[in-house]
Amino acid sequence: MNTHHTPRNTQYAIRNTTFLPLLAITLLSFALRLYHLDAQPIWWDEAISIHLATSSLASLLADRAAHVHPPLYFLLLKAWVAIAGVSAFSVRFFSAWFNTLLVPAVYAFANRRISRRTGQFAALLIALSPLYIVYSQEARVYALLPLAYLALLGLTRHLIRGTRGRLFSWLLLTAVETIGLYLHYVFVFPVIYVNLLLLPGLRRQTGELARWAISQGLVLLLLLPWIAAVILNLSAVVADAGVDAPFTEPLPLAYFLRLLWTFQWSGLTAGVGYAPLHGAVLTLALFLTAALLLLTAGRETRRPALWLLADWLVPLSGAILMWQAKPLSHPRYVALFTVALLLLAAYLLDRLAARRATIPLAALLALSLLVTFSFSLRACFFDPRFAKDDTRGAAAALSAHAGPGDLILVPPEDWSVPYYYDGPAQVAMVWPDQTWERLSGLTHAVQTVYLVDYYRGSRDPAGVLSFALEAAGSLVDRWGFKGLFVRVYRLDRPVEMPSPEPAGARFGPLQLTGAWVEQGAAADTAVALALRWRPAEPTGVPLRASLRLRDDDGWTWAAADDWLLDPRGDPTDRWMPGQEVTTYHLLPLPPGTPPLTYTLTLGIYQVEGERVEPLDLVDEAGNPQGQSLGLGTVALWASRGLETDPYGLADRVPLWDAPVEMADGLLLAGASLDREVVSPGQPLYVTLRWHGWNPSCLCTATLSLVQGDTPLVTATDPIGGRYPADRWAAGQTVVEHRRLVIPPTAAAGPAVVVLGVGDRRIELGSVAVSASGHCFEPPPIGYEFQVRFGDVAELVGYDLDAAEIAAGQPVTLTLYWRALEGAGRADYTVFTHILAEDGHLVGQHDGPPAEGTRPTRGWVVGEIVVDRHVMAFREPYTGPARIEVGLYDAVTLERVATEGGETFALLPTFLTIR
């Protein structure tokens, strides 16, 4: 009997043609994953991995039970670092090694299930995948997960085909599912998917169905201890997951899909905004879609293509649903599904290249893959925009500056800076529930504190730490690095918890019960204040606080607009009625602020889209008292003389290229005008930035607005105003605001602002005066009604569009004022209120006359001013109503009394709201 034998040399040749290319691809993959492995700094998540790997076993398990990631990866890393150490190279090598194993694994899968050439293409795509290269260079689990998913798919295909060794395969399936779920919870989607594949084929196989049930029962049994641990820590897990994080909304679907598509090919979360890559991945999507449509049209290629498409898309769809519940989820969670996408791309390349007619499409697809990978790898390795947070640079700066006795505060659970820090200063973390007691102990006998935070999202959203350190000292410097920054504080005393003084004021549903305002802050630092609140009812929406520090002329020197957040970072719509909450705020002072006494005011508002809606300050009966509350005065002390601008406010006053010496030793370094067009009666603010020192200088400066050769208005005051130059320190910068009020008789046309000191004259800029005619005879008026408001104005009548109004519709009222001699004394605001039958306020409009175009300072005695107001309802109301009108000073909020002593005038017309 003759038996045919394949020559031994031929067998070796066949093996070599398979083995040598695979070996080359595997070595290429390994080299790419080791290239610059430790070049990027260890960042937040990696530092957590290293911290857990170097913690005790009990600490590791307790920590993971309260967080969103299970413990297996960290246990494996713990065993690895016990051997290899905790250098950046060694901890990342663990990920690089396991992801390199994916190359031969994907080849074996494709070679067994599809074809050898598909396996080779898939191995090459895996080796070159920027996504897998990026996450092979991180000390996180994401480089391991694709290997587990591929094993799960292989076992599932084996069980579906019913080949030998099924009992062992069921045990392996149990092991892989359990391992995957202990690696990452997102593995639940592949587990669900493969079981959906298995069940239809097992319905008529009682024995196999029983084995399936036993295998899944074993998975549940093996997970049960960890499920119990998570349930015991469920509140901490939910908080860590950020499921109900404030201010987060699902991404628009179109953007989200582009983000996921770009990320799977590039590994870059910011890749969707990188123009070259954006075009490349769109082109790749076009060619992949064309290839997929072509192959699914063929009988032989349809089934494998659809299988691979389902392997990628079905579990990915489940993960997409997860993003709806947790919009802050990172796209790296889909890294394990991308192995199926790369297998699909490899199969498409293989089949297209096998047919002469489709070789051009195969070439275009291969080229688009090459271009996409090239752009991505270039960005990953060489573009600083895509670099990790520079924790190494921050730690190096801290090591160089922080000395013995200093304190470095890093965010809770951020071990990245401590990983690199090598210095004598104490490094500490402060959790929100222990802020004051722990800070007080940490800052005892400490003079310098370094506070580390992140640009992408502060780990101290309520600003408690920055408030506490500012209240105990001052911010003196700020260092910026890629992704994070360091604030440097000099403390005058240990941190103490503020004790707000009792206060009684109400903005809508929020009751202000206390306020603490820092006194004696240096004029080049910031003013700290704490506000204590008690919601009388749910606010329904997040509210913001508007804080303003003004001088006697009404100029705003410092401003802050902050969300009202409790110490955990929750906004007002999450506060419980009756709960007392303290919010913390800072008003940074721009360099050059004079050390004088200022008035501090508070307003509360909500934001709906681009519209800002202030809340009324109301009395006990619910009647509005304006929209601003005076919190008292703030006295500033002399500047510290900081050489830096830690709050970044200096550029508010533009510096000139060359300062101008206006007097001996006094330089004018810059100037600005607050507007380009001004109307009669409007104030024009001129900002002057002085620099220098002359203790004997008592010079005055004359500021004029000149039209042609005629000065429209002139004001002469000492340089520095209430903070004259003889009080300045050597080399001090002082900013001065001067106010010019355009006279009512000013004519339209250009005007120049001129500053004079002694014989020196300099033009600071020009404005356009927009003057309007003055009418002294009243037009036809629908309702004549005469009421005199002090010596400011006389109401001579009004027009009302209709006396019957549909519920919820705005009410338009036009008032006719005759200007009196006191109109120019202040900036007066007109209020128009709709009162219900019982007298409470249901609608209103407050504003300067004629929608701000005719301020009272520009009124000419005897002229008639037409003043239109559109009143909106504050609450649903139907029934009879009346309208009251009046005037109040916009600065003091004091109402102007009528000749009868009332602070309002009640119009005689009755409204009917239907």
Side-chain angles (χ1 to χ4, degrees):
M1 178 177 171
N2 293 327
T3 304
H4 176 74
H5 293 281
T6 302
R8 182 170 298 180
N9 291 341
T10 303
Q11 293 179 14
Y12 288 152
I14 293 172
R15 290 174 185 172
N16 287 339
T17 58
T18 301
F19 174 74
L20 291 179
L22 179 60
L23 177 62
I25 294 171
T26 304
L27 291 175
L28 172 65
S29 172
F30 192 50
L32 287 172
R33 282 148 180 76
L34 294 187
Y35 177 69
H36 283 189
L37 184 61
D38 58 353
Q40 296 278 6
I42 293 290
W43 71 291
W44 183 296
D45 280 7
E46 291 183 288
I48 290 176
S49 299
I50 297 170
H51 170 74
L52 292 174
T54 54
S55 300
S56 68
L57 181 61
S59 298
L60 188 158
L61 294 174
D63 180 274
R64 290 299 91 191
H67 290 78
V68 294
H69 296 301
L72 182 56
Y73 168 77
F74 305 99
L75 292 170
L76 294 173
L77 186 64
K78 181 176 179 62
W80 170 253
V81 301
I83 301 169
V86 293
S87 70
F89 187 93
S90 63
V91 295
R92 289 171 175 168
F93 184 89
F94 187 70
S95 297
W97 171 253
F98 273 98
N99 196 254
T100 301
L101 294 179
L102 185 62
V103 172
V106 80
Y107 169 81
F109 177 92
N111 183 45
R112 183 178 181 85
R113 305 301 173 192
I114 307 173
S115 73
R116 180 167 59 88
R117 193 163 65 173
T118 295
Q120 290 174 336
F121 282 150
L124 184 61
L125 291 180
I126 293 291
L128 298 176
S129 167
L131 170 65
Y132 288 146
I133 292 173
V134 167
Y135 286 95
S136 294
Q137 297 191 340
E138 279 198 6
R140 298 295 285 178
V141 71
Y142 306 104
L144 283 66
L145 289 173
L147 196 59
Y149 181 41
L150 191 66
L152 197 62
L153 289 176
L155 287 167
T156 303
R157 298 290 187 271
H158 179 77
L159 289 167
I160 288 174
R161 293 187 177 187
T163 51
R164 291 179 299 174
R166 297 187 71 171
L167 178 59
F168 182 66
S169 297
W170 283 115
L171 293 175
L172 281 179
L173 183 72
T174 300
V176 172
E177 287 185 3
T178 305
I179 290 170
L181 291 170
Y182 268 113
L183 284 173
H184 201 288
Y185 294 135
V186 79
F187 204 78
V188 70
F189 299 113
V191 169
I192 294 172
Y193 169 61
V194 298
N195 281 283
L196 290 175
L197 291 178
L198 287 168
L199 278 175
L202 301 177
R203 286 181 303 176
R204 298 179 182 178
Q205 303 179 46
T206 307
E208 294 303 314
L209 192 62
R211 288 179 176 177
W212 170 84
I214 292 171
S215 72
Q216 300 311 300
L218 282 174
V219 171
L220 183 62
L221 186 64
L222 291 169
L223 291 172
L224 202 57
W226 191 249
I227 293 173
V230 170
I231 290 174
L232 291 174
N233 294 275
L234 190 58
S235 60
V237 173
V238 171
D240 182 61
V243 172
D244 60 347
F247 309 116
T248 58
E249 297 180 1
L251 294 173
L253 183 59
Y255 176 85
F256 177 68
L257 295 177
R258 288 202 334 266
L259 171 65
L260 285 186
W261 178 253
T262 305
F263 178 79
Q264 290 180 91
W265 294 107
S266 68
L268 304 173
T269 53
V272 71
Y274 183 38
L277 181 60
H278 180 64
V281 296
L282 288 180
T283 304
L284 177 58
L286 177 65
F287 291 140
L288 277 172
T289 303
L292 187 62
L293 291 174
L294 190 63
L295 264 63
T296 52
R299 182 178 301 176
E300 295 181 359
T301 55
R302 179 185 304 126
R303 185 178 179 85
L306 291 178
W307 268 116
L308 293 171
L309 182 65
D311 290 344
W312 167 57
L313 207 51
V314 174
L316 177 65
S317 301
I320 290 173
L321 294 177
M322 177 189 69
W323 262 276
Q324 304 306 308
K326 187 189 174 189
L328 293 180
S329 295
H330 198 283
R332 63 192 174 190
Y333 291 177
V334 306
L336 74 164
F337 311 125
T338 306
V339 65
L341 175 60
L342 294 173
L343 271 166
L344 175 61
Y347 178 69
L348 296 177
L349 282 171
D350 179 14
R351 294 297 87 202
L352 292 174
R355 303 175 185 175
R356 179 176 299 179
T358 55
I359 286 178
L361 181 57
L364 289 172
L365 178 57
L367 180 62
S368 64
L369 284 165
L370 180 62
V371 170
T372 299
F373 286 1
S374 298
F375 280 137
S376 302
L377 291 174
R378 180 185 179 280
C380 293
F381 287 124
F382 305 113
D383 194 327
R385 290 176 295 176
F386 298 97
K388 298 184 187 300
D389 297 337
D390 189 14
T391 54
R392 185 162 48 203
L398 289 168
S399 299
H401 290 85
D406 293 342
L407 174 65
I408 300 171
L409 293 177
V410 297
E413 298 186 304
D414 181 15
W415 285 274
S416 58
V417 172
Y419 174 83
Y420 286 111
Y421 176 70
D422 181 20
Q426 180 184 4
V427 181
M429 300 176 184
V430 178
W431 272 260
D433 58 351
Q434 55 178 230
T435 299
W436 297 107
E437 181 179 355
R438 181 157 171 76
L439 269 184
S440 179
L442 288 172
T443 57
H444 184 73
V446 169
Q447 289 188 341
T448 305
V449 178
Y450 301 86
L451 179 62
V452 180
D453 208 346
Y454 286 80
Y455 290 110
R456 283 192 304 272
S458 174
R459 310 305 181 184
D460 179 30
V464 182
L465 294 178
S466 53
F467 164 88
L469 297 173
E470 191 75 54
S474 297
L475 177 67
V476 297
D477 205 353
R478 173 177 166 135
W479 310 332
F481 304 90
K482 172 69 170 63
L484 72 163
F485 57 92
V486 178
R487 296 190 185 104
V488 184
Y489 291 87
R490 295 280 189 267
L491 300 190
D492 302 317
R493 54 191 173 275
V495 167
E496 295 180 0
M497 185 175 182
S499 299
E501 296 290 331
R506 180 171 175 177
F507 290 91
L510 276 185
Q511 183 78 30
L512 180 68
T513 63
W516 179 90
V517 180
E518 179 186 12
Q519 298 291 338
D524 55 352
T525 58
V527 175
L529 66 153
L531 304 172
R532 188 175 61 218
W533 304 92
R534 182 188 299 119
E537 57 189 77
T539 64
V541 294
L543 299 177
R544 292 178 66 100
S546 173
L547 296 159
R548 299 292 184 266
L549 196 68
R550 295 188 172 96
D551 62 16
D552 293 345
D553 292 327
W555 180 265
T556 300
W557 283 85
D561 286 82
D562 302 331
W563 292 107
L564 291 176
L565 303 175
D566 70 9
R568 296 181 305 172
D570 285 339
T572 57
D573 58 332
R574 301 190 178 199
W575 298 359
M576 298 297 294
Q579 169 193 7
E580 283 212 329
V581 175
T582 302
T583 61
Y584 302 94
H585 310 271
L586 293 174
L587 281 93
L589 303 168
T593 300
L596 301 170
T597 299
Y598 299 85
T599 300
L600 180 61
T601 61
L602 166 69
I604 302 297
Y605 64 95
Q606 67 183 63
V607 179
E608 292 187 3
E610 296 183 357
R611 186 176 61 186
V612 174
E613 293 189 2
L615 270 64
D616 288 323
L617 177 66
V618 297
D619 60 17
E620 294 182 358
N623 296 315
Q625 305 296 308
Q627 296 174 337
S628 179
L629 172 69
L631 294 176
T633 58
V634 176
L636 302 182
W637 289 358
S639 302
R640 283 181 176 261
L642 300 181
E643 296 181 358
T644 62
D645 178 25
Y647 284 106
L649 302 176
D651 58 356
R652 290 187 175 185
V653 184
L655 287 173
W656 291 339
D657 293 336
V660 177
E661 187 172 19
M662 300 298 294
D664 290 342
L666 290 179
L667 303 177
L668 186 63
S672 64
L673 311 181
D674 76 326
R675 63 186 68 199
E676 296 178 353
V677 179
V678 64
S679 300
Q682 285 186 325
L684 172 66
Y685 282 96
V686 181
T687 302
L688 307 173
R689 185 185 182 99
W690 299 97
H691 182 76
W693 183 54
N694 187 341
S696 63
C697 178
L698 296 175
C699 300
T700 60
T702 299
L703 194 66
S704 303
L705 183 65
V706 180
Q707 195 172 50
D709 296 327
T710 305
L712 293 178
V713 58
T714 299
T716 301
D717 295 288
I719 293 177
R722 293 190 303 276
Y723 185 53
D726 61 333
R727 294 172 55 187
W728 301 356
Q732 182 178 356
T733 295
V734 176
V735 173
E736 178 187 3
H737 298 293
R738 296 203 174 197
R739 188 172 188 260
L740 297 174
V741 178
I742 311 305
T745 56
V752 178
V753 179
V754 179
L755 178 70
V757 177
D759 296 330
R760 292 300 308 269
R761 295 287 184 273
I762 183 173
E763 291 187 4
L764 304 180
S766 61
V767 295
V769 178
S770 175
S772 58
H774 302 282
C775 177
F776 294 89
E777 292 296 330
I781 298 175
Y783 300 90
E784 293 188 359
F785 180 66
Q786 293 187 338
V787 178
R788 184 183 175 98
F789 287 84
D791 64 349
V792 176
E794 180 184 12
L795 182 64
V796 298
Y798 61 93
D799 286 337
L800 197 59
D801 282 0
E804 291 193 8
I805 309 294
Q809 295 299 311
V811 178
T812 301
L813 173 69
T814 303
L815 303 173
Y816 298 91
W817 302 97
R818 178 177 285 115
L820 302 180
E821 60 275 8
R825 189 169 49 243
D827 293 314
Y828 291 100
T829 296
V830 178
F831 66 84
T832 58
H833 295 166
I834 303 174
L835 306 179
E837 188 175 20
D838 62 1
H840 83 276
L841 183 71
V842 293
Q844 73 176 115
H845 179 266
D846 290 18
E851 300 177 338
T853 62
R854 294 300 316 277
T856 56
R857 288 186 186 271
W859 289 6
V860 175
V861 175
E863 77 165 312
I864 301 298
V865 177
V866 181
D867 178 24
R868 181 174 177 268
H869 295 266
V870 179
M871 295 174 284
F873 282 89
R874 296 156 45 95
E875 61 184 65
Y877 177 75
T878 57
R882 298 285 296 275
I883 299 175
E884 67 172 11
V885 301
L887 296 158
Y888 62 86
D889 188 319
V891 176
T892 66
L893 304 182
E894 183 179 351
R895 289 191 179 187
V896 180
T898 67
E899 53 194 346
E902 301 288 343
T903 58
F904 62 90
L906 195 62
L907 302 185
T909 304
F910 285 84
L911 298 179
T912 301
I913 314 299
R914 299 187 184 281

